[in-house]
Amino acid sequence: MRTFLRAILLASALSAAGIATNTLAASPVAPVLTTPDARDVRSYARPLVARVTHVDLDLTADFDTKTMSGQAAMDVLAAPGAKEIVLDTLGLTVSKVTDGAGRDLAWKLGASDAELGAPLTVQLNGARRIVVHYASSPGARALQWLPPSLTAGKAKPYLFSQGQDINNRSWIPTQDSPGIRQTWTARVVVPSDLVAVMSGARLTPDGEPAGEGKHAYRFRMDNSVPPYLIALAVGDLTFRELGPRTGVYTEPSMMDRAAAELVDTEKMVTTAEALYGPYRWGRYDVLVLPPSFPFGGMENPTLTFLTPTFITGDRANVGLVAHELAHSWSGNLVTNATWPDGWLNEGFTTYFENRIMEAQYGAPRAEMEADLDWDGMQADIAEVGGPTGEATKLYGDVGGQLAYFKGATFLRTIEKTVGRERWDAYLTSYFDRHAFQPQTTAGFLKDLRANLIKGDKGLEDKLQLDRWAYAAGLPDNAVHVKSEALARVDAQVAAFKQGAPASQLTTSAWTTQEWLRFLNSLPRQLSKAQLDDLDGTLKLSTSTNSYIRSAWLELAIANRYEPAVPALEEFLTSVGRGLFLRPLYAGLMKQGDWGRPIATRIFQKAKPTYHPTVASSLERLVSGG
């Protein structure tokens, strides 16, 4: 049995190396996990015994079998006397495990859980490098294999991965916990008519021969990252430079529209650096994916993944780019140690995103977006049971987008309380102090008290830190940014409610944010004549802006508005972003005998086009599970 002293010494060594021990400091209201082996409950890993520090991947992407196969070689940091290491896997077929010299090591796959997968326990026998030979399953949760028909070009297949939050264990056997940061390299073999890109330095941009009809691409990530940030895409990709360190990858038919929307990307990086310090990842490129990508964006280092739904021709939704860029500091540079600490990732980033938008596009734009976030936060609080609901707590299993909105409101409240200059100096120093390290909620509050509050009892009382982090609802000092532009939209809503026809509304110069305020503020019950007027005058069912169209379709569903059903079906079968899909399917299901058959019919048609994780959650929703 490992002694307490040995564990403490190892924990100190791991901490000095920037390694998470997955322990939480004691707090009067937080869970107290002070034992040395307290760990991320969503990982089988035991990092205080043995942990992965580096992964070398050598894999082949087989589009016929929809599998990734090859090997993952891992460097191991082990405690004195450690006999085994435990990895996370999900649906992997393991053929053998060896040490760095090729000698077989004993291994065993444990019982499998549908969500967590199965632990792979390897007997180290003194080895400090292990090699797992394996293949993923065709239904790997992190991977989506698209036939040509579901791509923009319609000619070649496409593959992309989505690792967050615990999906990468379905194609990489490793310790899949955000607090166990790792460096990595990869060699990926793909068909020679396709291009591979990954979330690391691209060592062979044009590939290299790897047998008949095959090319290999090599990548490297020298900064330690949480495993969920290892990302891959393979397809008919082309590249266009946006600036000295920025560029865009996408399919050729999408390039002109994508590049035009992303023209401000290089300037955005410079803006972010002026706020909170240097960008530390080298290049900042983006990949615009096919419509089935399940998120708005994913902050994979050096290569942000973006949904094509952000492309509207007017750059109205580049806040999405600002958000994913901001993750280069909050999330990628300083990472939540466990998923209950996830607001440290998304709340910080939402706040930072808004500051980038203010610096680059002006205060009115930032105020609109912050005001809409406040609306979203109130809606999410109501959705999870009101202000006393457990899911409204920042630390824990936060409901909806509350980790984003409540977290950002918390930081904005600190800014308004201490002043922007003082807050910005603190936040810059915070990113420096904790660069390339995991962080816990308790650790952040400790850092705030040591480096910002500094024993000021009056300031401590004003900020209500523990209440923000650990209590339900919103503290009474929450700062609500109000937008004058959206107040003018509210006047238009009032006019429509009082009988003004849609033709009398001044909507021609509205931004996406103004449209969303208008549509989301309308009564959920309208007459058919009012709905006909709105759609006929404002052309909402045919809007090319996915944000506007989805908000309109939510309203149409709430009113069982039959004329919008064809537009609804077209939208649900052409977009894969969960942010749009879930509210629409949920709205249909709430409409009982009218909506349920529509939801079931459309879902069965659209299911093959959705990412596996989205399809699974929607299937539960539509089936009533």
Side-chain angles (χ1 to χ4, degrees):
M1 190 172 93
R2 186 175 70 250
T3 65
F4 184 86
L5 177 59
R6 179 182 295 166
I8 291 296
L9 291 174
L10 177 61
S12 298
L14 297 180
S15 177
I19 297 166
T21 59
N22 288 341
T23 57
L24 296 177
S27 165
V29 284
V32 179
L33 301 174
T34 56
T35 56
D37 58 348
R39 67 177 189 269
D40 180 353
V41 297
R42 301 185 71 192
S43 171
Y44 293 109
R46 290 183 286 136
L48 289 177
V49 177
R51 57 145 292 172
V52 174
T53 61
H54 178 83
V55 181
D56 292 314
L57 300 172
D58 192 346
L59 300 171
T60 296
D62 189 324
F63 281 80
D64 293 329
T65 62
K66 296 182 173 58
T67 60
M68 299 289 292
S69 62
Q71 62 184 45
M74 284 158 272
D75 293 340
V76 176
L77 175 63
K83 291 181 170 53
E84 61 188 27
I85 184 169
V86 182
L87 309 177
D88 295 302
T89 73
L90 178 63
L92 300 183
T93 300
V94 178
S95 57
K96 67 176 179 177
V97 182
T98 65
D99 64 13
R103 294 182 290 264
D104 286 343
L105 295 174
W107 58 274
K108 180 181 179 180
L109 273 175
S112 182
D113 175 86
E115 174 67 13
L116 302 180
L120 172 60
T121 303
V122 178
Q123 300 303 312
L124 290 171
N125 196 25
R128 292 300 176 261
R129 183 170 173 84
I130 63 171
V131 183
V132 180
H133 300 256
Y134 71 98
S136 67
S137 67
R141 196 164 66 196
L143 303 177
Q144 186 163 18
W145 304 82
L146 301 178
S149 60
L150 296 182
T151 67
K154 311 295 183 186
K156 298 179 181 180
Y158 202 111
L159 164 67
F160 67 85
S161 70
Q162 171 53 39
Q164 194 175 21
D165 46 7
I166 59 169
N167 297 328
N168 267 356
R169 63 189 67 182
S170 68
W171 71 286
I172 303 172
T174 190
Q175 293 178 318
D176 193 12
S177 172
I180 307 177
R181 299 179 70 108
Q182 306 157 20
T183 54
W184 61 268
T185 70
R187 176 180 179 267
V188 181
V189 178
V190 302
S192 56
D193 62 340
L194 301 179
V195 174
V197 293
M198 289 190 75
S199 53
R202 287 164 279 286
L203 306 181
T204 53
D206 300 320
E208 54 192 19
E212 186 176 354
K214 302 288 186 182
H215 259 60
Y217 291 82
R218 297 178 185 270
F219 307 90
R220 183 181 68 240
M221 173 51 67
D222 291 330
N223 295 323
S224 65
V225 296
Y228 71 85
L229 291 179
I230 302 175
L232 166 72
V234 181
D236 181 17
L237 300 176
T238 187
F239 176 78
R240 184 176 297 178
E241 190 175 86
L242 298 170
R245 54 181 167 172
T246 56
V248 55
Y249 288 91
T250 194
E251 295 179 74
S253 63
M254 295 176 62
M255 179 56 79
D256 288 342
R257 293 177 61 232
E261 206 81 0
L262 292 163
V263 69
D264 291 338
T265 303
E266 184 78 31
K267 182 180 177 183
M268 200 173 278
V269 177
T270 302
T271 298
E273 289 183 310
L275 285 167
Y276 297 124
Y279 177 77
R280 309 183 198 212
W281 302 91
R283 291 196 60 81
Y284 182 75
D285 295 324
V286 300
L287 170 68
V288 180
L289 288 104
S292 57
F293 183 61
F295 299 107
M298 183 61 209
E299 63 273 16
N300 303 308
T302 77
L303 188 65
T304 279
F305 283 19
L306 291 177
T307 171
T309 60
F310 90 100
I311 301 174
T312 53
D314 58 0
R315 301 173 199 154
N317 302 305
V318 294
L320 175 62
V321 184
H323 184 92
E324 305 310 331
L325 171 62
H327 272 301
S328 301
W329 286 259
S330 49
N332 298 3
L333 188 65
V334 183
T335 307
N336 50 286
T338 65
W339 290 111
D341 298 299
W343 76 273
L344 294 172
N345 184 326
E346 296 298 354
F348 270 68
T349 298
T350 302
Y351 171 82
F352 192 173
E353 167 200 346
N354 193 252
R355 292 293 305 278
I356 294 172
M357 297 302 288
E358 178 183 339
Q360 188 146 333
Y361 299 105
R365 170 78 173 264
E367 288 165 356
M368 279 196 292
E369 296 188 357
D371 203 354
L372 285 175
D373 284 355
W374 180 273
D375 289 347
M377 178 171 62
Q378 298 299 331
D380 277 347
I381 289 173
E383 182 72 19
V384 297
T388 61
E390 285 290 310
T392 65
K393 297 179 180 180
L394 273 183
Y395 175 78
D397 186 18
V398 186
Q401 295 187 91
L402 273 174
Y404 297 69
F405 299 148
K406 184 177 177 181
T409 303
F410 179 22
L411 301 193
R412 187 173 293 115
T413 299
I414 298 175
E415 177 208 325
K416 297 297 183 183
T417 303
V418 305
R420 175 167 286 189
E421 182 177 357
R422 183 177 171 187
W423 168 244
D424 283 352
Y426 165 77
L427 199 50
T428 301
S429 71
Y430 171 81
F431 288 132
D432 286 340
R433 274 192 302 280
H434 301 283
F436 303 110
Q437 296 177 20
Q439 178 64 287
T440 64
T441 300
F444 168 61
L445 297 187
K446 181 179 178 181
D447 193 275
L448 268 176
R449 289 178 168 118
N451 297 289
L452 181 68
I453 298 175
K454 299 179 179 179
D456 185 336
K457 181 65 167 57
L459 180 57
E460 171 87 26
D461 292 343
K462 285 182 182 178
L463 291 177
Q464 304 181 53
L465 300 182
D466 288 332
R467 184 176 176 193
W468 271 102
Y470 302 119
L474 280 181
D476 55 15
N477 64 343
V479 170
H480 178 190
V481 175
K482 297 183 179 181
S483 162
E484 293 182 5
L486 294 185
R488 293 191 290 271
V489 173
D490 293 342
Q492 299 285 289
V493 172
F496 184 78
K497 288 180 180 178
Q498 292 168 8
S503 59
Q504 291 183 11
L505 304 178
T506 55
T507 65
S508 59
W510 276 0
T511 63
T512 298
Q513 292 75 24
E514 289 164 304
W515 276 109
L516 289 177
R517 178 65 157 245
F518 176 74
L519 291 169
N520 291 334
S521 298
L522 289 173
R524 294 299 90 180
Q525 296 302 313
L526 296 173
S527 68
K528 184 176 184 301
Q530 288 175 305
L531 294 165
D532 287 341
D533 181 30
L534 286 169
D535 202 16
T537 304
L538 304 177
K539 311 300 181 188
L540 297 170
S541 288
T542 56
S543 173
T544 58
N545 186 314
S546 296
Y547 297 83
I548 295 171
R549 192 169 175 184
S550 64
W552 157 248
L553 291 172
E554 285 188 54
L555 181 62
I557 289 169
N559 288 274
R560 302 189 176 191
Y561 184 57
E562 287 284 353
V565 172
L568 172 67
E569 181 166 357
E570 193 277 331
F571 187 75
L572 289 175
T573 55
S574 62
V575 170
R577 187 176 176 185
L579 177 71
F580 299 140
L581 298 179
R582 290 186 187 92
L584 295 176
Y585 277 109
L588 285 169
M589 296 302 290
K590 288 179 181 177
Q591 292 303 317
D593 293 343
W594 179 83
R596 288 175 182 269
I598 297 173
T600 301
R601 175 176 60 80
I602 295 177
F603 177 72
Q604 291 306 315
K605 178 180 178 180
K607 180 181 176 181
T609 72
Y610 296 154
H611 187 274
T613 56
V614 171
S616 176
S617 66
L618 292 178
E619 189 160 35
R620 290 193 296 272
L621 174 64
V622 171
S623 67

